[in-house]
């Protein structure tokens, strides 16, 4: 299951998983979040990163949590992969109506999930999108009036960051 949890040791080797069966041979020591946690180059204890899964080969969002002992010594990382379709099920609840778009976007501009679904766009950068540009430079919601690229229609777009996560929800 692509949404299983994985526990990695101080060297990045998988030591446990919620998956049934034999323990897979996986090492994440070269991943950005592992290197940042191990080197203490980030004060964050949890990161969110869009990546191509080394297990499934699909674009996925990795939630990673730094694990330390009571003295702050690095012990490893706990991760959970979440594929776009899981986020899209959440976005479906918004049901904005015909002609609308709703998306989850990482702070770096990578599209995590989108409705209507377009697999080719997952992982693509929208960092130059006017709504996203405004959202990452505004505290609170960012709202922009624009002309839709696909249909030339007048649109109202808004985006807001999720509390405590480097993720924005954007809707038109």
């Amino acid at each position: 299951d692509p949404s299983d949890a994985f526990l990695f040791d101080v060297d990045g080797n998988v030591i446990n998983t919620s998956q049934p069966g034999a323990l897979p041979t996986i090492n994440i020591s070269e991943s950005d979040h592992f290197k940042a946690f191990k080197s203490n180059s980030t004060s964050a204890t949890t990161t969110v990163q869009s990546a191509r899964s080394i297990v499934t080969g699909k674009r996925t969002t990795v939630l990673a949590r730094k694990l330390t002992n009571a003295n702050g010594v690095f012990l490893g990382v706990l991760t959970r992969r979440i594929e776009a379709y899981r986020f899209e099920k959440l976005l479906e609840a918004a049901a904005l109506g015909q002609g609308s778009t709703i998306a989850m976007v990482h702070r770096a501009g990578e599209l995590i999930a989108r409705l209507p679904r377009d697999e080719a766009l997952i992982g693509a950068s929208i960092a130059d999108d006017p709504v996203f540009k405004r959202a990452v430079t505004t505290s609170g919601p960012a709202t922009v009036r624009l002309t839709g690229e696909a249909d030339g229609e007048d649109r109202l777009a808004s985006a807001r960051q999720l509390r405590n996560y480097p993720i924005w929800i954007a809707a038109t």
Side-chain angles (χ1 to χ4, degrees):
D1 181 353
S3 59
D4 286 328
F6 290 86
L7 181 62
F8 296 91
D9 68 13
V10 70
D11 297 315
N13 297 307
V14 68
I15 56 173
N16 208 345
T17 180
S18 60
Q19 288 183 331
L23 195 63
T25 303
I26 300 172
N27 182 286
I28 62 164
S29 61
E30 292 302 312
S31 70
D32 292 341
H33 60 268
F34 186 86
K35 288 191 273 189
F37 288 153
K38 188 168 183 173
S39 69
N40 281 322
S41 65
T42 180
S43 61
T45 57
T46 303
T47 63
V48 178
Q49 179 181 12
S50 180
R52 186 157 308 279
S53 170
I54 58 176
V55 176
T56 67
K58 293 182 179 179
R59 293 297 306 180
T60 189
T61 299
V62 178
L63 294 139
R65 174 89 176 163
K66 180 180 182 177
L67 303 174
T68 60
N69 67 14
N71 297 321
V73 175
F74 178 71
L75 298 176
V77 175
L78 178 65
T79 66
R80 168 109 192 244
R81 298 168 306 167
I82 303 174
E83 290 196 8
Y85 78 90
R86 300 251 185 205
F87 289 121
E88 288 164 355
K89 293 195 88 50
L90 174 69
L91 297 177
E92 283 175 353
L96 298 177
Q98 188 173 3
S100 299
T101 300
I102 186 166
M104 290 181 89
V105 185
H106 186 272
R107 137 181 79 223
E110 292 174 81
L111 197 62
I112 295 170
R114 178 187 185 273
L115 284 179
R117 181 173 182 73
D118 186 341
E119 189 68 35
L121 293 177
I122 303 303
S125 176
I126 65 161
D128 290 331
D129 180 85
V131 178
F132 183 74
K133 280 182 171 179
R134 181 129 184 222
V136 297
T137 59
T138 304
S139 74
T143 303
V144 175
R145 190 173 191 150
L146 51 86
T147 302
E149 289 181 26
D151 59 13
E153 294 289 322
D154 188 36
R155 300 220 181 252
L156 186 61
S158 189
R160 183 174 183 114
Q161 183 178 5
L162 295 179
R163 189 179 331 197
N164 301 321
Y165 291 95
I167 296 173
W168 277 258
I169 301 294
T172 62

